[in-house]
Each structure stands twice: as C-alpha cells, then as structure tokens.
Amino acid sequence: TELTNHRLDTAGFEAERAEILQSWPTGTGVSFAEAVKVQEALPTEKRFPVALAAADAQGMTLLQPRAGVALVREHAALLNGLSPYCDVLPTTIDAYTRHNRYTEAQDGIDRSRAAGTSLLNGFPAVNHGVDGCRRLVDAVSKPVQVRHGTPDARLLAEITLAAGFSSFEGGGISYNIPYAKHVPLERSIRHWQYCDRLVGRFEEEGVSINREPFGPLTGTLVPPFVSHVVAILEGLLALEQGVKCITLGYGQAGNVAQDIAALRSLRRLAHHYFLNAGYADYKLTTVFHQWMGGFPADEAQATAVICLGALVARQARATKIIVKTPHEASGVPTLEANQAGLKATRQMVNMISDQNRVDSPDIQMEIDVIEAEVHAVMREILRLGRGDIARGAVAAFQTGAMDVPFAPARANLGKLTPVRDNHGAIRLFDVGNVPLPADVLAFHRDKIAERALCERREPSFNMVVDDVRAISASKLVGRPA
Ligand SMILES: CCC[C@H]1O[C@@H](n2cnc3c(N)ncnc32)[C@H](O)[C@@H]1O
C-alpha cells in the first residue's frame, strides 16, 4: 500500500508485529502486556520523559554521553562509570545490529567473550534480548536511551522498550539518508511509523516513552534549515502515530550566533508546525549535539571543541547536550575519556548558567534566515505531497527540494553544497534544487563573497574541502594555505 501519513490500523500493526517478533529468536521473548508492566515498574528517576520535563521546567540542561560495548556486564559497568558525571544514559547500538545483521552481532558477542574485551562498536541489544536488556536497565540508576542508526529498527524497538529503555532515537529520514545507501525512503519511513506506533501504544497504556529524531544528519556543514526540516517532519510523523514526548535535535556547526539561532528557531518552528497540523497534546524538548564533524586528534584541542559546544548549548538553553570525548578522532572512547568530556561540559555549563543570555543582531538575523528557509521547503513538501508530509518528504528528496550534504544514500540528490562564510557560518555554495526565495539566495551569495574577498580567492569547491578539514586542523574557517 502507498505510504501515507496516517496512524497505522491495529490489525495491520498486529500482523506486522507477529512477523517482526519472528525475525530473530530473541523476538519471541517480547510480550506487550509484560512490557507495559516493566515500564510501569520503572522508578521515576529512571524515566526519560520525567527527566526531560523537569529539565525543561527548570531551564536546566541535561548531559548525556554516547557509550556502547558488546557485553551486558561490561556495558552496565561502563554506564555506571559514566553515571556520576551525566544526567541521562545512552546505549549506543553496534553497527551490525543497525543493519539487522544479528548473526554477525552474535559472532561479535562470542568473540568479545573469548577475548575478554569488546570487539563490537556498540551494544547488540537484539541478540541480548529482553532478559539481557532488562539486566542492563536494572543495573543502572538513571534513564537509558537507545542511540543507533537503524533504518529498520522495529525489532530493536520491541526488545529494548520491553526491557525498560524509556527513550528511542532515530527516524525514517534521519536514520536512512546519513546511514544507508540503498534503502528506499518510503521503506524506512514506513518502518519508523511502526516504531512510533509502538511508542503510541505504550502512551495509550499510560506509559510515556521519549522519541528523539536524529538531528545532526551527516554532521558535516549541514545548513540549519536542512536538519530542522527533517526534525519537524519526523516530529509530525511521530505525533500522527501517537507519540507524545518528542525531543528535536541539532548538530553544532561552529558559528556561535548561527548555532544559538538554530536551537532557538528549532523550538519555535516545531511548535508552529505541530500546532498547525492540529496536535496540542505533546511535550517538546531540544537536544544540542556537540560538534559532529572531524575532531582534532590532540586531546587538549578536542576538549576546546567540546567546551565550545557546551557554551553554545547552554546559551541556547538546550534541554539536553550530547557530549563528545577527547577520543573522538580515534574511535570508541575509554571510560576516562568519556568522563573527561562530561566533566569539561559540566564545568562550562555551570559557568554559563549564572549568566544572562547573550543576544546580538546576528542571532536574530540568522533566525530570520532559518525561518524563511524552513517555511519555503515545508511549503514545497506539502505541495509535492498534496498535503501529506510522508509522500511529500519522499517526493522532496526525489526532486532535490530536500538535500542533505555529503549523505551516502542513493535517495539523496547530493547537489546542495554548503560552505562557511567569513565568520564560519554555514552558507550555500550551491543551492541545488532547493526552492529558496531569491532574497535568501542573495544573502548566502553576499556572505560567501565577503569571504572570497577577504581570502582573495574565488568561491570554489576548494573552500568546501578546506572547511571540512578545518576543525581537525584547529580552525573553524578553512582558510587557504
Ligand atoms: C552519531 C554517531 C557518531 C558519534 O557516536 C560516537 N560513538 C559511536 N559509537 C560509540 C560507542 N560505542 N561509544 C561511544 N561513542 C560512540 C562517535 O564517536 C561519534 O561521536
């Protein structure tokens, strides 16, 4: 049946559920009635929606690391090592599981056991099953979220939610375009309607589960409007399936005014589109991801990047920060490196929290530009989808009206090309087929011309390449050698 943005019907959902739970042996351990009981038994200090609502009400910013290792006991020990330095916990899922390659994940578990150390780049939750995941949730003392990159996360959602995880990251666009190559967008959006419907079913039983679309996308010079449109679409798709607790995200790009503007505009735009679509019964929070691009290998320099992200997130009053580590350039961080990133972030957040928010004309100008861009693209999506945003999203990626820079997916056109301006803000070197208004295009052109003049070189793809490498080379703008 054709993809539409309508709540999945019960019969269809149940039929699909039976099929999903048969797709791997651990699926047979899932019972929805039992899952509701496990969720109901969670103490409030282990509920993600409660932590988010409290932080939002008090204007606090929660710290969350990423972390995931192969075996239950080691992963629990890792999370308990991080817990004193953060407010909410992750469980980063391994790459095999993200592509439903559970046989290889099992092999990774067996080899990790034999080696006495994790040989996977995350926690293989599907293979550990409900029992293993419940042991993990019982072993920690803070809310735990599933963080991954899975186009088909249906079984992962069933197992982890049945075990007491109370937040689930991802979406049908944000976990396809940056994470997959050959998965049709219709398919991943449809799979995530299932995940959102499952969360909606928990909500109907009085159990709230947080959903967090993946904001940063490719994390490489992504213009704020591009990630905002995906976030808003995935928020709308989730609301239609009965999700009530939504966190929308944004990945730090580097220019302080633009990043603050991006986070503030994200909240306003989301409410605008959610309310316009007729939803009112939801809780919205925001998450700021510290720099997602290339990191300096030097740990002191990497810590500076982490601190810049902490400052901006707190200035923008993000509800949550995803914290990086000084090992970002090398791979899966050690416990100590992860703790270091959290401690530096906490120090910065504390020092900023007592201060008033900085405001500047730059911030409002960036907000105006982002809002004009988001409205232009959302209008096109609604036109292409004849009012249906699921169909409109698919069509927009086909025409290039939506286009994520440096994305691997075949579903993505890849014509839009970003570049930094003279102050490091993300501008458009090539707008591709994105239908932006003429005055906005002129704004981008002028800002890039300013840099070209200053660097005495023509705007070119060399600037883009220089920018992609700049922060690893301890700069923001990729100045010519
Ligand atoms: C959004 C995903 C990219 C980020 O996710 C981090 N990441 C991936 N896997 C793990 C892991 N197993 N433990 C701690 N961090 C991890 C990377 O470093 C990067 O920052």
Side-chain angles (χ1 to χ4, degrees):
T1 53
E2 196 198 9
L3 177 73
T4 62
N5 179 34
H6 288 117
R7 183 168 292 195
L8 301 182
D9 70 278
T10 305
F13 178 79
E14 287 304 336
E16 187 174 348
R17 190 155 190 273
E19 186 195 314
I20 284 300
L21 297 183
Q22 294 302 321
S23 61
W24 190 256
T26 50
T28 56
V30 178
S31 131
F32 184 68
E34 184 57 30
V36 170
K37 288 198 187 79
V38 167
Q39 288 284 346
E40 284 170 341
L42 281 176
T44 44
E45 64 272 7
K46 287 172 75 167
R47 291 179 186 281
F48 234 94
V50 173
L52 287 165
D56 206 41
Q58 296 152 23
M60 307 291 286
T61 297
L62 302 171
L63 272 56
Q64 182 179 22
R66 293 189 178 93
V69 290
L71 305 178
V72 174
R73 195 174 320 112
E74 285 73 12
H75 186 59
L78 173 60
L79 294 189
N80 282 322
L82 293 169
S83 197
Y85 305 95
C86 65
D87 302 295
V88 286
L89 294 166
T91 285
T92 301
I93 302 298
D94 72 286
Y96 289 126
T97 304
R98 295 178 182 198
H99 291 282
N100 315 108
R101 292 161 59 172
Y102 309 124
T103 304
E104 287 154 288
Q106 188 56 51
D107 177 53
I109 292 171
D110 300 340
R111 286 185 298 109
S112 298
R113 282 202 180 105
T117 183
S118 176
L119 300 179
L120 290 173
N121 62 357
F123 183 76
V126 170
N127 290 72
H128 286 310
V130 178
D131 293 345
C133 290
R134 283 192 65 177
R135 283 206 313 279
L136 171 65
V137 173
D138 292 344
V140 300
S141 58
K142 291 183 175 172
V144 207
Q145 175 183 43
V146 187
R147 302 191 72 86
H148 48 115
T150 311
D152 179 1
R154 294 174 291 174
L155 183 56
L156 178 65
E158 287 281 0
I159 287 172
T160 53
L161 299 183
F165 284 79
S166 52
S167 178
F168 200 75
E169 188 190 27
I173 302 167
S174 62
Y175 270 4
N176 178 333
I177 299 299
Y179 280 99
K181 184 117 183 92
H182 299 292
V183 178
L185 202 49
E186 301 89 319
R187 190 186 311 158
S188 55
I189 290 178
R190 182 61 187 72
H191 288 334
W192 277 87
Q193 286 179 314
Y194 177 97
C195 297
D196 284 330
R197 187 72 206 99
L198 177 62
V199 170
R201 294 282 304 276
F202 278 104
E203 289 284 356
E204 285 157 12
E205 301 296 326
V207 169
S208 189
I209 307 261
N210 171 244
R211 280 277 296 110
E212 177 188 328
F214 178 59
L217 301 176
T218 54
T220 308
L221 306 178
V222 179
F225 81 91
V226 172
S227 62
H228 283 16
V229 167
V230 173
I232 290 164
L233 290 173
E234 292 190 350
L236 288 166
L237 288 163
L239 286 164
E240 179 57 25
Q241 299 304 327
V243 171
K244 301 271 181 243
C245 178
I246 294 177
T247 304
L248 294 186
Y250 170 72
Q252 177 185 6
N255 174 275
V256 173
Q258 187 176 49
D259 285 339
I260 291 173
L263 214 71
R264 288 189 193 159
S265 58
L266 177 57
R267 192 182 281 263
R268 237 164 72 98
L269 286 162
H271 280 308
H272 170 86
Y273 282 98
F274 293 177
L275 295 170
N276 262 17
Y279 304 106
D281 175 23
Y282 63 84
K283 285 268 186 292
L284 174 68
T285 49
T286 57
V287 56
F288 185 91
H289 295 246
Q290 292 177 350
W291 173 242
M292 295 295 289
F295 250 70
D298 176 276
E299 298 203 10
Q301 289 174 246
T303 304
V305 178
I306 289 167
C307 290
L308 178 64
L311 179 150
V312 172
R314 185 57 196 153
Q315 270 294 333
R317 292 296 184 270
T319 318
K320 187 173 80 167
I321 308 177
I322 307 298
V323 177
K324 287 281 171 135
T325 83
H327 284 182
E328 180 59 20
S330 55
V332 177
T334 60
L335 168 64
E336 293 71 23
N338 224 332
Q339 291 168 333
L342 289 164
K343 285 190 265 186
T345 297
R346 182 76 76 190
Q347 174 82 20
M348 185 58 83
V349 167
N350 290 346
M351 294 193 297
I352 294 295
S353 292
D354 298 326
Q355 306 182 40
N356 291 325
R357 292 158 72 152
V358 296
D359 231 331
S360 82
D362 286 0
I363 294 175
Q364 190 51 54
M365 180 190 65
E366 298 294 349
I367 288 174
D368 294 346
V369 170
I370 293 168
E371 291 188 347
E373 292 165 337
V374 169
H375 291 317
V377 175
M378 286 301 290
R379 198 176 303 121
E380 176 66 358
I381 286 169
L382 287 162
R383 185 186 70 81
L384 288 170
R386 295 186 304 285
D388 184 297
I389 53 146
R391 281 205 296 269
V394 172
F397 275 93
Q398 280 162 348
T399 63
M402 267 302 280
D403 194 345
V404 177
F406 312 113
R410 279 220 343 241
N412 190 69
L413 186 66
K415 252 186 91 183
L416 175 142
T417 307
V419 74
R420 291 189 188 279
D421 70 12
N422 213 31
H423 302 296
I426 307 292
R427 306 301 178 202
L428 292 174
F429 172 68
D430 183 341
V431 72
N433 298 352
V434 182
L436 297 184
D439 59 337
V440 167
L441 294 177
F443 170 82
H444 284 269
R445 236 189 337 270
D446 293 349
K447 287 289 186 182
I448 294 168
E450 219 176 75
R451 172 181 176 183
L453 197 65
C454 172
E455 295 183 354
R456 286 198 290 283
R457 63 171 166 169
E458 282 306 300
S460 75
F461 198 75
N462 295 334
M463 280 185 177
V464 180
V465 174
D466 292 341
D467 287 343
V468 170
R469 291 193 305 221
I471 288 190
S472 305
S474 84
K475 293 180 289 189
L476 178 65
V477 184
R479 301 298 185 189

